[in-house]
mmCIF file of all heavy atoms in Angstrom:
data_model
loop_
_atom_site.group_PDB
_atom_site.id
_atom_site.type_symbol
_atom_site.label_atom_id
_atom_site.label_comp_id
_atom_site.label_asym_id
_atom_site.label_seq_id
_atom_site.Cartn_x
_atom_site.Cartn_y
_atom_site.Cartn_z
ATOM 1 N N PHE A 5 2.529 11.795 1.773
ATOM 2 C CA PHE A 5 2.216 12.969 2.587
ATOM 3 C C PHE A 5 2.278 14.199 1.687
ATOM 4 O O PHE A 5 3.277 14.414 0.984
ATOM 5 C CB PHE A 5 3.199 13.092 3.751
ATOM 6 C CG PHE A 5 2.990 12.049 4.817
ATOM 7 C CD1 PHE A 5 3.505 10.775 4.663
ATOM 8 C CD2 PHE A 5 2.241 12.330 5.950
ATOM 9 C CE1 PHE A 5 3.297 9.797 5.618
ATOM 10 C CE2 PHE A 5 2.028 11.365 6.917
ATOM 11 C CZ PHE A 5 2.552 10.097 6.757
ATOM 12 N N ALA A 22 10.006 13.475 10.490
ATOM 13 C CA ALA A 22 8.891 12.721 11.066
ATOM 14 C C ALA A 22 8.521 11.535 10.181
ATOM 15 O O ALA A 22 8.222 10.441 10.678
ATOM 16 C CB ALA A 22 7.683 13.645 11.244
ATOM 17 N N MET A 23 8.548 11.730 8.882
ATOM 18 C CA MET A 23 8.224 10.643 7.953
ATOM 19 C C MET A 23 9.275 9.535 8.001
ATOM 20 O O MET A 23 8.952 8.348 8.053
ATOM 21 C CB MET A 23 8.115 11.188 6.530
ATOM 22 C CG MET A 23 6.911 12.076 6.277
ATOM 23 S SD MET A 23 6.965 12.856 4.635
ATOM 24 C CE MET A 23 7.123 11.431 3.555
ATOM 25 N N VAL A 25 11.424 8.573 10.304
ATOM 26 C CA VAL A 25 11.477 7.714 11.497
ATOM 27 C C VAL A 25 10.321 6.719 11.526
ATOM 28 O O VAL A 25 10.386 5.707 12.234
ATOM 29 C CB VAL A 25 11.498 8.535 12.806
ATOM 30 C CG1 VAL A 25 12.727 9.408 12.870
ATOM 31 C CG2 VAL A 25 10.242 9.378 12.962
ATOM 32 N N MET A 26 9.278 6.974 10.753
ATOM 33 C CA MET A 26 8.173 6.025 10.659
ATOM 34 C C MET A 26 8.228 5.198 9.377
ATOM 35 O O MET A 26 7.304 4.449 9.069
ATOM 36 C CB MET A 26 6.832 6.772 10.731
ATOM 37 C CG MET A 26 6.528 7.366 12.098
ATOM 38 S SD MET A 26 6.341 6.083 13.364
ATOM 39 C CE MET A 26 7.758 6.422 14.398
ATOM 40 N N GLY A 27 9.303 5.354 8.611
ATOM 41 C CA GLY A 27 9.504 4.511 7.441
ATOM 42 C C GLY A 27 8.795 4.960 6.188
ATOM 43 O O GLY A 27 8.585 4.148 5.273
ATOM 44 N N PHE A 28 8.441 6.232 6.072
ATOM 45 C CA PHE A 28 7.768 6.754 4.874
ATOM 46 C C PHE A 28 8.707 7.715 4.141
ATOM 47 O O PHE A 28 9.513 8.414 4.768
ATOM 48 C CB PHE A 28 6.472 7.466 5.245
ATOM 49 C CG PHE A 28 5.488 6.594 5.990
ATOM 50 C CD1 PHE A 28 5.150 6.860 7.305
ATOM 51 C CD2 PHE A 28 4.922 5.491 5.369
ATOM 52 C CE1 PHE A 28 4.256 6.047 7.995
ATOM 53 C CE2 PHE A 28 4.028 4.667 6.052
ATOM 54 C CZ PHE A 28 3.695 4.946 7.365
ATOM 55 N N PHE A 98 -8.262 4.326 10.654
ATOM 56 C CA PHE A 98 -7.304 3.359 10.114
ATOM 57 C C PHE A 98 -7.756 1.920 10.353
ATOM 58 O O PHE A 98 -7.561 1.057 9.499
ATOM 59 C CB PHE A 98 -5.923 3.582 10.714
ATOM 60 C CG PHE A 98 -5.326 4.922 10.383
ATOM 61 C CD1 PHE A 98 -4.299 5.463 11.157
ATOM 62 C CD2 PHE A 98 -5.777 5.660 9.297
ATOM 63 C CE1 PHE A 98 -3.741 6.685 10.857
ATOM 64 C CE2 PHE A 98 -5.235 6.904 8.985
ATOM 65 C CZ PHE A 98 -4.214 7.415 9.781
ATOM 66 N N PHE A 113 -2.155 11.649 2.778
ATOM 67 C CA PHE A 113 -2.500 12.493 3.922
ATOM 68 C C PHE A 113 -2.211 13.936 3.541
ATOM 69 O O PHE A 113 -1.081 14.287 3.194
ATOM 70 C CB PHE A 113 -1.695 12.085 5.153
ATOM 71 C CG PHE A 113 -1.963 10.676 5.604
ATOM 72 C CD1 PHE A 113 -1.044 9.665 5.357
ATOM 73 C CD2 PHE A 113 -3.133 10.357 6.261
ATOM 74 C CE1 PHE A 113 -1.295 8.365 5.762
ATOM 75 C CE2 PHE A 113 -3.391 9.058 6.671
ATOM 76 C CZ PHE A 113 -2.474 8.061 6.423
ATOM 77 N N PHE A 115 -2.107 18.030 4.317
ATOM 78 C CA PHE A 115 -1.928 19.018 5.379
ATOM 79 C C PHE A 115 -1.912 20.405 4.759
ATOM 80 O O PHE A 115 -1.199 20.655 3.779
ATOM 81 C CB PHE A 115 -0.610 18.772 6.125
ATOM 82 C CG PHE A 115 -0.546 17.452 6.841
ATOM 83 C CD1 PHE A 115 -0.222 16.287 6.142
ATOM 84 C CD2 PHE A 115 -0.828 17.371 8.192
ATOM 85 C CE1 PHE A 115 -0.173 15.062 6.803
ATOM 86 C CE2 PHE A 115 -0.778 16.149 8.848
ATOM 87 C CZ PHE A 115 -0.450 14.989 8.159
ATOM 88 N N ALA A 149 4.699 18.267 13.934
ATOM 89 C CA ALA A 149 4.183 17.439 15.030
ATOM 90 C C ALA A 149 2.928 16.698 14.597
ATOM 91 O O ALA A 149 2.727 15.524 14.941
ATOM 92 C CB ALA A 149 3.899 18.308 16.255
ATOM 93 N N ALA A 150 2.063 17.377 13.854
ATOM 94 C CA ALA A 150 0.844 16.732 13.365
ATOM 95 C C ALA A 150 1.184 15.585 12.405
ATOM 96 O O ALA A 150 0.592 14.504 12.484
ATOM 97 C CB ALA A 150 -0.046 17.761 12.670
ATOM 98 N N VAL A 151 2.151 15.812 11.525
ATOM 99 C CA VAL A 151 2.576 14.748 10.615
ATOM 100 C C VAL A 151 3.140 13.573 11.399
ATOM 101 O O VAL A 151 2.871 12.408 11.080
ATOM 102 C CB VAL A 151 3.611 15.285 9.611
ATOM 103 C CG1 VAL A 151 4.244 14.137 8.823
ATOM 104 C CG2 VAL A 151 2.969 16.282 8.656
ATOM 105 N N GLN A 152 3.919 13.867 12.433
ATOM 106 C CA GLN A 152 4.509 12.792 13.237
ATOM 107 C C GLN A 152 3.426 11.925 13.873
ATOM 108 O O GLN A 152 3.524 10.686 13.866
ATOM 109 C CB GLN A 152 5.389 13.387 14.334
ATOM 110 C CG GLN A 152 6.139 12.358 15.155
ATOM 111 C CD GLN A 152 7.266 11.719 14.381
ATOM 112 O OE1 GLN A 152 8.353 12.267 14.275
ATOM 113 N NE2 GLN A 152 7.021 10.542 13.819
ATOM 114 N N LEU A 153 2.392 12.550 14.412
ATOM 115 C CA LEU A 153 1.323 11.793 15.060
ATOM 116 C C LEU A 153 0.548 10.939 14.055
ATOM 117 O O LEU A 153 0.250 9.767 14.320
ATOM 118 C CB LEU A 153 0.377 12.750 15.792
ATOM 119 C CG LEU A 153 0.956 13.425 17.037
ATOM 120 C CD1 LEU A 153 0.018 14.511 17.535
ATOM 121 C CD2 LEU A 153 1.198 12.394 18.136
ATOM 122 N N ILE A 154 0.223 11.517 12.910
ATOM 123 C CA ILE A 154 -0.492 10.766 11.883
ATOM 124 C C ILE A 154 0.379 9.617 11.372
ATOM 125 O O ILE A 154 -0.086 8.474 11.214
ATOM 126 C CB ILE A 154 -0.890 11.679 10.711
ATOM 127 C CG1 ILE A 154 -1.904 12.745 11.175
ATOM 128 C CG2 ILE A 154 -1.454 10.858 9.558
ATOM 129 C CD1 ILE A 154 -3.266 12.209 11.538
ATOM 130 N N ALA A 155 1.657 9.903 11.119
ATOM 131 C CA ALA A 155 2.567 8.871 10.609
ATOM 132 C C ALA A 155 2.733 7.737 11.620
ATOM 133 O O ALA A 155 2.802 6.565 11.239
ATOM 134 C CB ALA A 155 3.924 9.493 10.268
ATOM 135 N N TYR A 156 2.782 8.085 12.891
ATOM 136 C CA TYR A 156 2.936 7.067 13.936
ATOM 137 C C TYR A 156 1.708 6.164 13.994
ATOM 138 O O TYR A 156 1.824 4.933 14.006
ATOM 139 C CB TYR A 156 3.150 7.743 15.287
ATOM 140 C CG TYR A 156 3.156 6.790 16.460
ATOM 141 C CD1 TYR A 156 4.238 5.935 16.678
ATOM 142 C CD2 TYR A 156 2.081 6.741 17.346
ATOM 143 C CE1 TYR A 156 4.244 5.059 17.757
ATOM 144 C CE2 TYR A 156 2.085 5.862 18.411
ATOM 145 C CZ TYR A 156 3.165 5.035 18.621
ATOM 146 O OH TYR A 156 3.157 4.157 19.676
ATOM 147 N N ASP A 157 0.528 6.766 14.016
ATOM 148 C CA ASP A 157 -0.697 5.971 14.077
ATOM 149 C C ASP A 157 -0.853 5.104 12.823
ATOM 150 O O ASP A 157 -1.303 3.951 12.895
ATOM 151 C CB ASP A 157 -1.920 6.880 14.231
ATOM 152 C CG ASP A 157 -2.185 7.248 15.684
ATOM 153 O OD1 ASP A 157 -1.498 6.691 16.563
ATOM 154 O OD2 ASP A 157 -3.067 8.092 15.939
ATOM 155 N N TRP A 158 -0.480 5.648 11.680
ATOM 156 C CA TRP A 158 -0.601 4.890 10.429
ATOM 157 C C TRP A 158 0.390 3.728 10.413
ATOM 158 O O TRP A 158 0.061 2.627 9.988
ATOM 159 C CB TRP A 158 -0.385 5.827 9.248
ATOM 160 C CG TRP A 158 -0.518 5.203 7.889
ATOM 161 C CD1 TRP A 158 0.376 5.297 6.862
ATOM 162 C CD2 TRP A 158 -1.621 4.444 7.370
ATOM 163 N NE1 TRP A 158 -0.087 4.633 5.743
ATOM 164 C CE2 TRP A 158 -1.318 4.094 6.030
ATOM 165 C CE3 TRP A 158 -2.836 4.020 7.909
ATOM 166 C CZ2 TRP A 158 -2.170 3.347 5.228
ATOM 167 C CZ3 TRP A 158 -3.693 3.263 7.106
ATOM 168 C CH2 TRP A 158 -3.355 2.933 5.791
ATOM 169 N N ARG A 159 1.600 3.972 10.889
ATOM 170 C CA ARG A 159 2.589 2.893 10.943
ATOM 171 C C ARG A 159 2.125 1.791 11.893
ATOM 172 O O ARG A 159 2.287 0.597 11.608
ATOM 173 C CB ARG A 159 3.954 3.452 11.380
ATOM 174 C CG ARG A 159 5.032 2.390 11.590
ATOM 175 C CD ARG A 159 5.213 1.499 10.389
ATOM 176 N NE ARG A 159 5.698 2.231 9.227
ATOM 177 C CZ ARG A 159 5.721 1.724 8.000
ATOM 178 N NH1 ARG A 159 5.262 0.498 7.763
ATOM 179 N NH2 ARG A 159 6.173 2.438 6.982
ATOM 180 N N LEU A 160 1.546 2.164 13.029
ATOM 181 C CA LEU A 160 1.018 1.160 13.959
ATOM 182 C C LEU A 160 -0.079 0.338 13.290
ATOM 183 O O LEU A 160 -0.135 -0.886 13.435
ATOM 184 C CB LEU A 160 0.467 1.827 15.222
ATOM 185 C CG LEU A 160 1.469 2.324 16.258
ATOM 186 C CD1 LEU A 160 0.711 2.860 17.473
ATOM 187 C CD2 LEU A 160 2.419 1.220 16.693
ATOM 188 N N ALA A 161 -0.955 1.024 12.559
ATOM 189 C CA ALA A 161 -2.046 0.324 11.887
ATOM 190 C C ALA A 161 -1.514 -0.656 10.844
ATOM 191 O O ALA A 161 -2.085 -1.732 10.632
ATOM 192 C CB ALA A 161 -2.988 1.341 11.231
ATOM 193 N N LEU A 162 -0.405 -0.303 10.205
ATOM 194 C CA LEU A 162 0.183 -1.164 9.177
ATOM 195 C C LEU A 162 0.973 -2.334 9.769
ATOM 196 O O LEU A 162 1.402 -3.222 9.040
ATOM 197 C CB LEU A 162 1.106 -0.341 8.272
ATOM 198 C CG LEU A 162 0.422 0.703 7.383
ATOM 199 C CD1 LEU A 162 1.464 1.545 6.661
ATOM 200 C CD2 LEU A 162 -0.519 0.053 6.388
#
Side-chain angles (χ1 to χ4, degrees):
F5 288 81
M23 290 173 56
V25 298
M26 290 296 114
F28 302 114
F98 297 160
F113 298 104
F115 297 81
V151 170
Q152 185 72 82
L153 290 171
I154 295 291
Y156 173 73
D157 275 353
W158 182 231
R159 175 54 64 192
L160 284 184
L162 292 174

